[in-house]
């Protein structure tokens, strides 16, 4: 018997349910009620907005009967593909066999063909000239980081499905966080495979090197509640993976302009996308900014599996399984969110208030540890109250971050780490890592993006609560350059360029449920 599970699409009587039935490596939708019938009808034949309204005779709001239902080939119905944990896959697994097949065929196509490996990589970034209009479009350091990359992966996945002739194919994910698969997946280290490239850190490629846990931890990201703050924070561990896999300027993952050429790039970003789902699933006021017109209104162009340009916006990607037909192996039920004309009944609003700004010149980070003291005498009581709050978040905010070229290093950040204490991941004083990827690097201007200083934020509630127990006059921020681990031991990284931080502040982010 097939295993069925019911999912309520809309909390409104009479709308019906749709169901998911397991078939092979994916799930197929069937349904009950008029909504289930609509799902089956949309899956069987092309349905227009007018035809839908005429056939149902229902007064349905444009928020439901819009691009979310009638986008290019993205209607309800059809299979739900499962993006699997790559660490569980052997080299001969059909998913990796099909990926290798697609890579070989895509690399054989001309660079100007939208289905080619070079063209797809160039949508993210490229050094190829002349530059085509749809290249160098990636979003880094902006509020569109998560949403743009979800769209990008979706269309890439459809192209691989066609080129591999595997109708069930879905991008696997590399669980470097919140899991601990810190080594490059073994099939990508096979020198005879199309998944391999010499353009990576040699130790990472050999399997003796591993990601530094302090550089890629997402504990801080998951502690945050505001979407925009989290979207900015998650780019730190994301960038750390890029730099540690790339290893040197010759490494493809090292730079925005070349990252998409490495087959591991898409598997890495599959996990970054999964983190969005996992963050939302925690609840507690976490939600997508569906009432923010700038975020929902931004439209991007990609290419489908026939090479035809297609446009997409954030309202079409909120519900991955329902709108884009994929989910992740082992993830909790996806949160169902909708773009609406009217404000939802329950919504959290966030406000940021400056608590303290560090005076003095910019702070420069290099190959040595750097400590920055924060005087606490005048702000101790306020900081303590915020740190203990269940709704407010104390943030460390770094602004005006820049470097002349890619530094190639992530700096772990510890706040209130006691003297003599070892700077390791997952202790209360560890708040995250600073890495530059895309934004903040002057030397990467000219690849379709104007220079923009980087900004970073880190949650301090847990760290500040611990730090204030000592009763000291100040709390130190410690920046530590991090290298990969080789044979289980941390290495000393080579900093290619110093990083300057223009402004360091403590900010209170107040979260309230709007009435």
């Amino acid at each position: 018997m097939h295993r069925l599970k019911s999912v309520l699409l809309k909390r409104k009587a009479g709308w019906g349910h749709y169901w998911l039935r397991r078939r092979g490596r994916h799930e197929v939708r069937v349904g009950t009620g008029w909504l289930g019938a609509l799902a089956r009808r949309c899956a069987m034949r092309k349905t227009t907005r007018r035809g839908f309204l005429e056939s149902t005779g229902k007064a349905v709001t444009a928020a439901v009967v819009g691009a979310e239902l009638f986008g290019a080939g993205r209607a309800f119905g059809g299979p739900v593909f499962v993006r699997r944990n790559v660490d569980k896959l052997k080299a001969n697994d059909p998913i990796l066999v099909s990926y290798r097949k697609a890579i070989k065929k895509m690399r054989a196509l001309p660079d100007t063909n939208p289905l080619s490996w070079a063209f797809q990589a160039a949508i993210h970034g490229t050094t190829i000239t002349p530059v085509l209009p749809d290249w160098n479009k990636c979003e880094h350091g902006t509020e569109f980081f998560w949403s743009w990359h979800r769209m990008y992966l979706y269309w890439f996945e459809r192209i691989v499905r066609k080129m591999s002739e595997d109708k069930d194919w879905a991008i696997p994910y590399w669980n470097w966080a919140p899991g601990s698969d810190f080594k490059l997946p073994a099939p990508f280290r096979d020198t005879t495979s199309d998944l391999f490239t010499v353009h990576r850190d040699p130790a990472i490629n050999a399997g003796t090197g591993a990601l530094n846990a302090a550089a890629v931890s997402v504990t801080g990201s998951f502690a945050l509640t505001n979407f925009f703050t989290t979207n900015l924070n998650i780019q730190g561990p994301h960038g750390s993976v890029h730099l540690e896999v790339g290893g040197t300027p010759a490494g493809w993952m090292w730079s925005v302009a070349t990252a998409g050429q490495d087959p591991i790039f898409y598997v890495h970003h599959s996990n970054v996308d999964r983190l969005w789902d996992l963050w939302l699933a925690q609840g507690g006021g976490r939600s997508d900014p569906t009432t923010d017109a700038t975020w929902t209104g931004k439209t991007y162009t990609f290419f489908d599996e026939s090479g035809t340009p297609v446009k997409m916006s954030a309202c079409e990607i909120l519900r991955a399984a329902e709108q884009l037909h994929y989910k992740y192996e082992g993830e909790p039920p996806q949160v169902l969110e909708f773009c609406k004309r009217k404000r939802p009944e329950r919504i959290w609003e966030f406000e940021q208030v400056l608590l303290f700004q560090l005076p003095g010149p910019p702070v420069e980070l290099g190959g040595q540890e750097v400590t920055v003291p924060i005087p606490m005498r005048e702000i101790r009581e306020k900081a303590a109250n915020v740190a203990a709050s269940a709704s407010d978040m104390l943030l460390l905010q770094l602004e005006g971050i820049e470097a002349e070229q890619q530094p190639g290093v992530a700096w772990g950040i510890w706040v209130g780490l006691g003297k003599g204490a070892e700077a390791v991941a997952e202790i209360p004083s560890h708040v995250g890592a600073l890495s530059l990827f895309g934004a903040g690097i002057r030397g990467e201007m000219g690849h379709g993006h104007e220079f923009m200083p980087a900004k970073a934020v880190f949650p301090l509630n847990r760290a500040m609560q611990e730090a204030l127990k000592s009763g000291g006059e100040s709390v130190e921020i410690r920046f530590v350059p991090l290298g990969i681990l080789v044979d289980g031991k941390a290495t000393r990284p080579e900093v290619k360029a110093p990083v300057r931080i223009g402004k360091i502040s403590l900010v209170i982010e107040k979260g309230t449920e709007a009435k």
Side-chain angles (χ1 to χ4, degrees), residues 193-204:
S193 171
D194 287 300
L195 303 178
F196 177 84
T197 175
V198 297
H199 299 285
R200 296 184 189 133
D201 181 274
I204 291 288

Side-chain angles (χ1 to χ4, degrees), residues 102-119:
I103 291 170
K104 186 182 292 291
K105 292 176 66 174
M106 292 169 72
R107 283 174 173 167
L109 295 174
D111 293 352
T112 54
N113 187 323
L115 305 187
S116 72
W117 188 259
F119 193 105

Side-chain angles (χ1 to χ4, degrees), residues 107 184 188-191 193-201 205 245 250-253 261-264:
R107 283 174 173 167
L184 188 72
F188 291 77
R189 306 196 305 259
D190 178 357
T191 58
S193 171
D194 287 300
L195 303 178
F196 177 84
T197 175
V198 297
H199 299 285
R200 296 184 189 133
D201 181 274
N205 248 350
V245 171
W252 281 340
M253 286 282 280
Q261 296 181 49
D262 191 333
I264 198 62

Side-chain angles (χ1 to χ4, degrees), residues 138-154:
C138 64
E139 293 281 0
H140 293 96
T142 74
E143 63 267 44
F144 307 106
F145 169 76
W146 250 337
S147 57
W148 185 90
H149 284 85
R150 173 167 287 188
M151 300 176 204
Y152 179 47
L153 287 191
Y154 169 71

Side-chain angles (χ1 to χ4, degrees), residues 123-186:
I123 292 175
H124 184 268
T126 188
T127 57
I128 298 174
T129 55
V131 176
L132 299 185
D134 297 300
W135 291 356
N136 293 314
K137 297 300 182 182
C138 64
E139 293 281 0
H140 293 96
T142 74
E143 63 267 44
F144 307 106
F145 169 76
W146 250 337
S147 57
W148 185 90
H149 284 85
R150 173 167 287 188
M151 300 176 204
Y152 179 47
L153 287 191
Y154 169 71
W155 294 108
F156 173 82
E157 185 173 66
R158 286 176 56 151
I159 290 171
V160 171
R161 204 172 287 145
K162 175 183 178 177
M163 298 299 288
S164 66
E165 301 177 281
D166 182 349
K167 61 182 179 60
D168 295 337
W169 194 80
I171 307 172
Y173 66 89
W174 177 13
N175 188 21
W176 47 264
S180 56
D181 298 335
F182 297 139
K183 289 191 175 183
L184 188 72

Side-chain angles (χ1 to χ4, degrees), residues 275-450:
L275 294 175
W276 185 359
D277 282 358
L278 296 181
W279 174 78
L280 280 172
Q282 294 180 105
R286 294 170 179 81
S287 64
D288 295 328
T290 56
T291 59
D292 187 288
T294 301
W295 189 76
T296 60
K298 185 87 168 181
T299 301
Y300 298 95
T301 300
F302 299 93
F303 293 83
D304 68 13
E305 60 271 33
S306 67
T308 303
V310 286
K311 294 188 179 295
M312 201 173 222
S313 65
C315 290
E316 298 175 89
I317 64 165
L318 300 176
R319 305 179 301 283
E322 186 178 289
Q323 295 173 297
L324 306 180
H325 311 308
Y326 74 84
K327 68 176 187 176
Y328 290 96
E329 180 179 47
E331 74 172 340
Q334 292 180 3
V335 175
L336 304 182
E337 294 198 314
F338 300 80
C339 285
K340 302 179 180 181
R341 286 185 174 180
K342 295 182 179 180
R343 195 166 98 170
E345 295 179 4
R346 298 181 64 186
I347 185 173
W348 280 75
E349 295 179 343
F350 297 89
E351 175 189 12
Q352 292 190 350
V353 179
L354 179 67
L355 176 63
F356 173 80
Q357 182 176 318
L358 189 73
V363 172
E364 184 170 293
L365 305 181
Q368 304 295 324
E369 289 188 13
V370 173
T371 58
V372 179
I374 302 176
M376 298 300 297
R377 178 177 298 177
E378 296 182 3
I379 63 172
R380 175 181 295 275
E381 183 177 355
K382 184 68 173 178
N385 290 337
V386 175
S389 170
S391 59
D392 298 344
M393 182 65 68
L394 184 63
L395 301 174
L396 171 63
Q397 182 169 277
L398 311 179
E399 298 176 274
I401 309 169
E402 59 181 80
E404 293 301 319
Q405 59 180 324
Q406 173 58 261
V409 171
W411 282 266
I413 303 176
W414 284 262
V415 175
L417 183 66
K419 290 185 178 180
E422 186 179 3
V424 295
E426 309 305 344
I427 59 175
S429 59
H430 179 239
V431 300
L434 171 65
S435 63
L436 296 186
F437 192 76
I441 304 174
R442 292 189 176 277
E444 292 193 353
M445 294 173 61
H447 296 305
H449 297 278
E450 296 182 358

